[in-house]
């Protein structure tokens, strides 16, 4: 007989390392000031300083977080024993990696390049220079995701057979002006988080059917995506993503539904609702042998606790407490391969309907 389901027993965080290394951050954009540095401060990790070519911005962010503003890349690279945090545009990643000390431990902000060829270059550089790098697909480390994976591992859902990601949002794309001219947006910069998390839970699919497109009201190249991940004849996995649902909060949604042979789970990804204010995340489990849904009391949200968890695991690897680096560049390359396959599928013609002769 199974024990009674205890939602408070599910793992929601990564155990703190006994020691940690100083963190050198490249980049001083909003992701650094809104997530990276607040997360590291919350975890008690030392920020050794930040560097960005825009020194005025660097100085302002450094002052706000009580850390050092490096005046040059060389000054930042000279910090001994550091974990390097690359929160820079994809185009800047290879040049930094090529100048890091060999054998460095690195966290690279997603995506891992703008396409699969750039991801391959990043992976090649890391392998050639023995750089131990992970990619910041941090949704894997959100409290709700860690708890979901623990519930699955403990058998509370049985075998997972259905995974649905459903988003109907009004995303304020105007907050990111740099997106306006990019040829790839929705899958590469947003749904990539969901694809990576699905891979983490279900493994690599056999392939993908996808269509991604824009919207008449927006200049963004893509803001809507439909995708089916092929896991054979047992698991059904689909994503329905609409960032242009601008008709009020009532019927908006940002959620995962995961069904198993014996139980199910529901996840609400609150940060995307009423962004950037956001709403609290939620996780509900209908456990094996249970008769109703049980809410898991979460200890934090995707933002910023997932950033805490992601860097914590990197630190545990850097200090030798974890043997493996989760979400390494080798693993992240497979997420980029799935992204590339989705774009290729979207560009390919659909199966045409038969014509009556």
């Amino acid at each position: 007989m199974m024990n009674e389901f205890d939602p408070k027993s599910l793992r929601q965080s990564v155990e703190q390392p006994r020691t940690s290394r100083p963190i050198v951050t490249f980049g001083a954009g909003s992701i650094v000031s809104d997530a990276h540095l607040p997360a590291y401060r919350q975890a008690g990790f030392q920020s050794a300083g930040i560097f960005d070519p825009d020194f005025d911005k660097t100085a302002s962010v450094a002052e706000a977080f009580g850390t050092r503003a490096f005046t040059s890349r060389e000054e930042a690279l000279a910090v001994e024993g550091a974990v390097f945090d690359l929160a820079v545009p994809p185009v800047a990643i290879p040049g930094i990696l090529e100048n890091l000390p060999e054998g460095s431990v690195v966290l690279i902000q997603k995506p891992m390049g703008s396409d699969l060829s750039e991801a391959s270059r990043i992976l090649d550089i890391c392998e050639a220079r023995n750089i131990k790098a992970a990619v910041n697909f941090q949704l894997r480390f959100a409290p709700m995701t860690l708890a979901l994976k623990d519930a699955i591992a403990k058998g509370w859902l049985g075998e997972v057979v259905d995974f649905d990601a459903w988003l109907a949002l009004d995303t304020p794309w105007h907050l990111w002006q740099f997106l306006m001219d990019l040829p790839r947006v929705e899958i590469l910069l947003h749904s990539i988080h969901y694809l990576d998390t699905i891979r983490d839970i279900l493994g690599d699919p056999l392939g993908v059917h996808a269509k991604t497109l824009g919207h008449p009201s927006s200049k963004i190249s893509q803001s809507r995506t439909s995708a089916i991940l092929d896991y054979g004849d047992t698991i059904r996995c689909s994503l329905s993503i609409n960032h242009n649902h601008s008709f009020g909060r009532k019927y908006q949604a940002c959620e995962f539904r995961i069904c198993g042979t014996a139980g199910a789970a529901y996840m609400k990804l609150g940060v995307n609702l009423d962004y950037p204010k956001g709403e609290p995340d939620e996780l509900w489990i209908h456990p094996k042998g249970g008769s109703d849904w049980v809410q898991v009391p979460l200890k934090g949200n995707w933002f910023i606790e997932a950033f805490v968890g992601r860097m914590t695991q990197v630190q545990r690897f850097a200090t030798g407490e974890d043997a493996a680096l989760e979400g390494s560049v080798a693993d992240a390359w497979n997420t980029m391969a799935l992204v590339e396959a989705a774009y290729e599928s979207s560009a390919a013609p659909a199966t045409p309907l038969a014509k009556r002769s």
Side-chain angles (χ1 to χ4, degrees):
M1 179 180 296
M2 292 188 66
N3 295 325
E4 184 177 352
F5 176 66
D6 178 8
K8 295 181 180 180
S9 70
L10 298 177
R11 177 193 185 217
Q12 294 192 34
S13 62
V14 180
E15 185 180 353
Q16 288 291 303
R18 291 186 293 273
T19 61
S20 63
R21 295 188 184 184
I23 301 169
V24 171
T25 300
F26 285 83
S30 61
I31 194 66
V32 170
S33 57
D34 294 345
H36 287 232
L37 293 180
Y40 305 158
R41 181 168 59 188
Q42 179 172 308
F45 297 142
Q46 176 194 354
S47 171
I50 59 176
F51 172 73
D52 189 286
D54 185 340
F55 183 73
D56 289 341
K57 182 167 63 175
T58 304
S60 176
V61 174
E63 181 179 7
F65 287 90
T67 190
R68 180 180 177 185
F70 296 113
T71 58
S72 68
R73 176 190 290 187
E74 291 71 26
E75 194 175 35
L77 293 174
V79 177
E80 294 186 6
V83 168
F84 293 98
D85 178 30
L86 309 190
V88 298
V91 67
I93 294 170
I96 298 175
L97 291 174
E98 288 170 339
N99 285 278
L100 291 177
E102 290 197 13
S104 293
V105 177
V106 184
L107 178 60
I108 301 171
Q109 179 60 29
K110 66 87 185 169
M112 187 179 166
S114 298
D115 55 32
L116 190 59
S117 65
E118 291 186 13
S120 296
R121 183 185 177 195
I122 290 169
L123 179 58
D124 288 344
I125 293 171
C126 290
E127 290 180 343
R129 308 194 71 246
N130 193 32
I131 290 174
K132 312 299 184 183
V135 177
N136 203 348
F137 292 128
Q138 76 293 128
L139 180 55
R140 293 185 179 206
F141 294 90
M144 59 182 169
T145 311
L146 292 173
L148 170 66
K149 290 190 290 186
D150 197 25
I152 293 172
K154 291 176 177 175
W156 289 113
L157 273 63
E159 296 296 322
V160 175
V161 292
D162 288 287
F163 194 116
D164 289 292
W166 181 36
L167 278 72
L169 305 167
D170 185 18
T171 298
W173 295 109
H174 64 275
L175 296 178
W176 307 282
Q177 287 296 316
F178 73 94
L179 299 178
M180 298 301 171
D181 298 323
L182 295 183
R184 293 182 171 186
V185 176
E186 204 291 312
I187 299 175
L188 179 68
L189 299 177
H190 186 89
S191 286
I192 191 170
H193 283 297
Y194 314 141
L195 296 175
D196 181 74
T197 299
I198 291 168
R199 282 192 56 250
D200 189 35
I201 294 171
L202 300 179
D204 287 317
L206 302 172
V208 59
H209 308 278
K211 183 68 177 181
T212 186
L213 63 163
H215 188 273
S217 68
S218 175
K219 295 180 180 179
I220 298 294
S221 56
Q222 305 100 32
S223 57
R224 296 176 292 163
T225 298
S226 294
I228 299 172
L229 275 58
D230 183 359
Y231 281 97
D233 296 331
T234 302
I235 299 173
R236 182 190 63 85
C237 180
S238 67
L239 298 88
S240 177
I241 315 293
N242 179 8
H243 291 275
N244 301 100
H245 195 280
S246 55
F247 309 102
R249 173 66 183 88
K250 185 174 182 179
Y251 291 116
Q252 291 180 347
C254 187
E255 57 195 35
F256 293 169
R257 288 181 170 88
I258 304 97
C259 298
T261 55
Y266 168 89
M267 283 174 57
K268 171 187 167 184
L269 293 74
V271 68
N272 292 324
L273 295 162
D274 192 22
Y275 189 89
K277 180 182 177 182
E279 298 178 6
D281 292 339
E282 294 182 20
L283 175 64
W284 295 75
I285 304 287
H286 195 295
K288 179 179 180 180
S291 59
D292 203 353
W293 290 90
V294 179
Q295 185 169 13
V296 177
L298 295 175
K299 301 173 183 176
N301 295 301
W302 179 358
F303 279 58
I304 63 172
E305 278 70 22
F307 290 81
V308 173
R310 173 64 282 185
M311 177 54 80
T312 298
Q313 203 280 316
V314 170
Q315 289 281 1
R316 288 182 59 85
F317 174 79
T319 59
E321 293 182 54
D322 281 359
L325 183 58
E326 296 181 34
S328 68
V329 284
D331 178 67
W333 188 94
N334 291 317
T335 294
M336 294 299 296
L338 178 53
V339 167
E340 193 72 22
Y343 279 111
E344 290 180 7
S345 176
S346 183
T351 302
L353 278 63
K355 302 292 185 180
R356 185 175 181 182
S357 58

